Amino acid sequence: MKPNIDRLIAEKIQRELEVKTRRHFIKKCATGMGGLALGSIFMGCDPLGLTKKASGAVSGFTERDLNPLATLPPPFSPRVKNVIYLHMAGAPSQLEMFDYKPELAKLNNQECPQSLLEGKKFAFIRGTPKLLGPQATFKQEGESGNWVSDNLPHFKKVVDEVAFLKAVHTDQFNHGLAQLFMHTGSPRLGRPSIGSWVTYGLGSENQNLPGFVVLTSGGKAPSAGKSVWGSGFLPSVYQGVQCRSKGDPVLYIEDPDGITRDLKKKTLQAINEINKKEYAKYADPEILARINQYEMAYRMQIAVPEVMNINDEPQYIKEMYGVEPGKESFANNCLLARKLVEDGVRFVQLFDWGWDAHGTDPSTAVDLGLKNKCREIDRPMSALLLDLKQRGLLEDTLVVWGGEFGRTPMQENREGKTMGFKGRDHHGDAFTMWMAGGGIKKGASHGQTDAIGFSGVDGRVSVHDVHATILHLLGFDHEQFTFDFQGRPFRLTDVEGEVIHQILA
């Protein structure tokens, strides 16, 4: 025990010496010697009064300082207050789900015209591929008459609740970069995800749960990793918190043997008092994030096991979603998404892996593996819309569905050789997304692709337009919703984006 005490004393002495040395002072005060000079002009080293004075307990903190997830009103009247985003990681084929192309069926197995290939980049297609007709049967469904394939028999029943975007486009054709672009507005690392922007702007309605929760299924995480729910340059308290539908919902949710709630509470209070004093010295917002995360973790130990328990749901609800208690599944996650928004979670992100339909084996063939993936999501996502609607939650919730890009109307011929199974390559020129919920025009369909689904010919919208529309429904002007970083104001939509008014009620 004595060596440990000696080590702690040595660390304390070292820490105090670091704070007192001239070298440390010159390095850390504002931005160095230049900061000292500027500070003399702009009312000292703390012109905005960020540093709080400490005398015993720290005073002068705002509620937002000590609780970064405190609820905030949006600048404008919102149509929704929560978002559930369903991302099909790997990029589902719109040509077997929503974008019906009878002309493509007539051209099946014919060589692709060179005019479509010139100047285009593909992930794997080389030479001259052959066109591949739709590998599904389509019908017009509901009062809206929107086309839905027989891969989605349950979704046909709720098609009038959604608005389709048939000509979404992106300039990224590799999974990781396209997923980053779809969720952060940039294909480069370091930008906040859309869920982080939303919780930064609105906070959370339930202080016992994270404002931004992530659920994954399909056996793997997205190609871009956890960056797609990261907070980037925003304080880390706004990043997504990944929960699990199998086993403990959060790792280490249980305290070790011998640790009582009272002891845990006293320990956190002592740690947070130290952190508050550190913040008083350095005004580092990450210290406040650390305080909030300690306290959130403490509260989550009580709240999370309850909200993440689907066993207590009525049997008819379980059957409606097709849940599999004890397993990691998209169905379980859809039911959990409803429970989370019902309990005030601001942004729920679902990632379902396994949609990369290249045709390299049966599981990635558009006439085999894709059908199986559609079967996995069809009932749960349809049940989610019905369940939200019957509980009166759909009026306040926006549901978004899509992938990171679409698939080509040509059959993939990797390295110029015909694949053993029917597959489609990555394609960013045109793909389908849909939205449902508050503020969305029911049964709408905006945008149109050409006769074979290669490019958008009407109503083309970008990833930035999708982001602008989501923020608009939450009560934000995407051009005004910014965060200052590295000398300039950043926004989710960068310098682009327009609200897609054609799908708004």
Side-chain angles (χ1 to χ4, degrees):
M1 180 66 72
K2 190 174 185 302
N4 289 336
I5 295 175
D6 291 341
R7 179 171 58 81
L8 291 172
I9 293 173
E11 288 179 359
K12 180 179 184 298
I13 294 172
Q14 177 67 27
R15 177 68 171 167
E16 291 176 347
L17 289 173
E18 284 180 353
V19 174
K20 293 177 181 178
T21 59
R22 287 180 297 173
R23 181 178 298 174
H24 182 85
F25 173 77
I26 292 172
K27 179 181 178 181
K28 294 295 183 181
C29 184
T31 56
M33 293 302 293
L36 288 175
L38 287 173
S40 65
I41 300 173
F42 298 113
M43 301 175 291
C45 290
D46 189 26
L48 299 179
L50 294 176
T51 304
K52 313 294 190 294
K53 294 183 179 181
S55 175
V58 179
S59 60
F61 293 99
T62 66
E63 182 184 2
R64 188 69 169 175
D65 286 335
L66 292 179
N67 183 9
L69 292 176
T71 304
L72 294 176
F76 307 104
S77 179
R79 303 299 298 272
V80 296
K81 60 183 182 181
N82 307 303
V83 177
I84 298 175
Y85 195 129
L86 313 175
H87 182 94
M88 308 297 106
S93 173
Q94 73 281 7
L95 297 168
E96 273 72 41
M97 299 178 77
F98 303 117
D99 201 12
Y100 178 47
K101 295 299 169 186
E103 188 65 26
L104 182 61
K106 298 176 184 178
L107 298 172
N108 183 59
N109 211 35
Q110 295 187 26
E111 288 192 352
C112 181
Q114 289 298 315
S115 60
L116 296 181
L117 304 175
E118 293 173 356
K120 297 290 184 179
K121 291 182 179 180
F122 299 97
F124 296 101
I125 284 178
R126 300 292 182 269
T128 304
K130 293 182 178 180
L131 295 171
L132 178 63
Q135 300 300 300
T137 301
F138 282 78
K139 289 183 180 179
Q140 288 178 288
E141 303 290 345
E143 295 182 5
S144 62
N146 282 320
W147 292 95
V148 181
S149 84
D150 59 356
N151 286 334
L152 301 168
H154 292 279
F155 187 76
K156 294 177 181 180
K157 303 172 185 176
V158 296
V159 67
D160 286 335
E161 294 292 335
V162 312
F164 288 100
L165 297 171
K166 292 289 188 70
V168 187
H169 67 89
T170 176
D171 58 5
Q172 301 298 320
F173 61 87
N174 287 320
H175 295 294
L177 299 180
Q179 289 167 3
L180 275 175
F181 188 33
M182 181 59 69
H183 292 282
T184 72
S186 171
R188 290 169 291 279
L189 294 169
R191 297 288 185 89
S193 62
I194 184 170
S196 297
W197 277 107
V198 171
T199 49
Y200 163 67
L202 296 176
S204 179
E205 293 187 313
N206 188 331
Q207 299 305 300
N208 296 324
L209 293 170
F212 177 15
V213 173
V214 179
L215 301 165
T216 62
S217 57
K220 294 184 180 180
S223 301
K226 297 182 178 181
S227 297
V228 288
W229 62 79
S231 58
F233 47 70
L234 293 176
S236 58
V237 70
Y238 300 113
Q239 66 186 329
V241 175
Q242 185 178 1
C243 293
R244 307 186 302 169
S245 57
K246 178 183 178 182
D248 287 340
V250 179
L251 293 176
Y252 312 115
I253 194 75
E254 299 287 343
D255 284 325
D257 293 339
I259 302 296
T260 65
R261 290 289 288 175
D262 286 342
L263 178 58
K264 183 75 170 288
K265 184 176 182 180
K266 291 177 181 178
T267 303
L268 292 183
Q269 287 174 340
I271 293 172
N272 285 342
E273 284 303 314
I274 295 171
N275 282 328
K276 289 175 184 178
K277 292 178 180 180
E278 288 291 292
Y279 180 77
K281 293 179 183 178
Y282 304 112
D284 182 352
E286 280 302 300
I287 297 175
L288 293 180
R290 189 185 311 151
I291 293 171
N292 181 263
Q293 287 166 334
Y294 271 122
E295 294 179 348
M296 174 64 73
Y298 178 76
R299 297 192 298 269
M300 283 173 60
Q301 287 185 301
I302 300 297
V304 167
E306 180 179 351
V307 73
M308 297 293 288
N309 178 20
I310 62 175
N311 294 322
D312 293 338
E313 288 289 313
Q315 186 60 31
Y316 80 93
I317 290 290
K318 296 178 185 177
E319 292 175 357
M320 185 168 73
Y321 281 89
V323 300
E324 302 174 87
K327 295 184 179 180
E328 177 195 79
S329 72
F330 182 76
N332 290 9
N333 289 348
C334 281
L335 178 51
L336 288 172
R338 187 270 289 167
K339 287 171 63 67
L340 288 165
V341 297
E342 193 173 31
D343 274 28
V345 174
R346 183 72 66 187
F347 200 102
V348 183
Q349 176 75 65
L350 272 61
F351 286 99
D352 185 61
W353 183 87
W355 291 89
D356 199 11
H358 286 289
T360 54
D361 55 62
S363 69
T364 64
V366 291
D367 58 342
L368 297 171
L370 178 69
K371 288 180 180 292
N372 292 331
K373 290 301 297 181
C374 287
R375 192 176 297 114
E376 290 177 10
I377 71 163
D378 178 35
R379 175 182 289 186
M381 70 181 185
S382 305
L384 175 62
L385 295 181
L386 289 172
D387 200 10
L388 289 171
K389 184 177 181 180
Q390 72 182 8
R391 294 169 186 271
L393 294 171
L394 194 57
E395 298 175 2
D396 297 322
T397 304
L398 175 67
V399 182
V400 183
W401 182 96
E404 60 264 33
F405 42 67
R407 315 303 297 197
T408 59
M410 303 86 77
Q411 182 172 356
E412 185 171 319
N413 64 337
R414 191 166 294 197
E415 301 306 322
K417 299 178 181 179
T418 302
M419 307 296 290
F421 298 90
K422 295 176 181 178
R424 302 185 187 277
D425 202 357
H426 306 171
H427 192 54
D429 279 11
F431 60 103
T432 300
M433 297 182 67
W434 57 257
M435 297 184 188
I440 293 296
K441 186 184 296 183
K442 295 182 178 182
S445 182
H446 176 63
Q448 184 177 348
T449 56
D450 58 32
I452 63 170
F454 187 81
S455 296
V457 294
D458 180 59
R460 279 166 54 87
V461 298
S462 70
V463 172
H464 295 304
D465 297 335
V466 172
H467 290 165
T469 305
I470 294 173
L471 292 179
H472 172 79
L473 289 167
L474 288 164
F476 291 98
D477 180 341
H478 72 101
E479 294 182 345
Q480 302 298 320
F481 186 27
T482 63
F483 185 87
D484 290 341
F485 178 67
Q486 292 185 338
R488 80 168 178 91
F490 279 81
R491 69 188 211 211
L492 173 62
T493 52
D494 198 27
V495 295
E496 301 179 51
E498 295 182 2
V499 176
I500 310 169
H501 291 283
Q502 293 86 343
I503 65 168
L504 301 184

